[in-house]
Amino acid sequence: MIINHPLLGPRDAAEFVYLGDASLIDRPDWQDPDAAEKFYEYGYLRDNPAGQHQELWYHEQGDRSWLVVTRDTLSHEITKVELARDVAKARGRDK
């Protein structure tokens, strides 16, 4: 599988480490009154989707960047690759 890195161009997936669902970017606020329940859901509950899915990948054997890869879990076709920092900023996590 080839991942088209936004800064470095096409790279073999062997250079990357899969780190899970991209929803991990949306970490709960620890000061929220329901923080314990939200952190439980954040840490342990995951969907197992069939089809388009956003995933976190880490470029371990390259520039050490984090990417959000939109990939079809049935065909492994990659339709979009973004820097995770850009996705986090777009979601309001710029701190």
Side-chain angles (χ1 to χ4, degrees), residues 1 4 32 44 58:
M1 186 168 64
N4 192 12
D32 188 302
Y44 295 105
Y58 178 64

Side-chain angles (χ1 to χ4, degrees), residues 27-86:
R27 183 177 53 249
D29 181 1
W30 66 274
Q31 294 179 332
D32 188 302
D34 300 323
E37 180 180 335
K38 290 181 180 180
F39 270 101
Y40 172 79
E41 292 173 3
Y42 173 80
Y44 295 105
L45 303 181
R46 298 281 184 273
D47 291 332
N48 188 13
Q52 291 288 316
H53 184 62
Q54 286 190 316
E55 305 168 333
L56 280 174
W57 288 73
Y58 178 64
H59 196 192
E60 183 177 52
Q61 296 179 19
D63 67 344
R64 308 247 188 245
S65 59
W66 291 75
L67 303 177
V68 174
V69 175
T70 304
R71 181 178 68 90
D72 188 307
T73 60
L74 298 174
S75 66
H76 299 292
E77 177 187 7
I78 294 174
T79 56
K80 190 174 187 181
V81 180
E82 306 167 88
L83 293 172
R85 68 174 182 231
D86 296 340

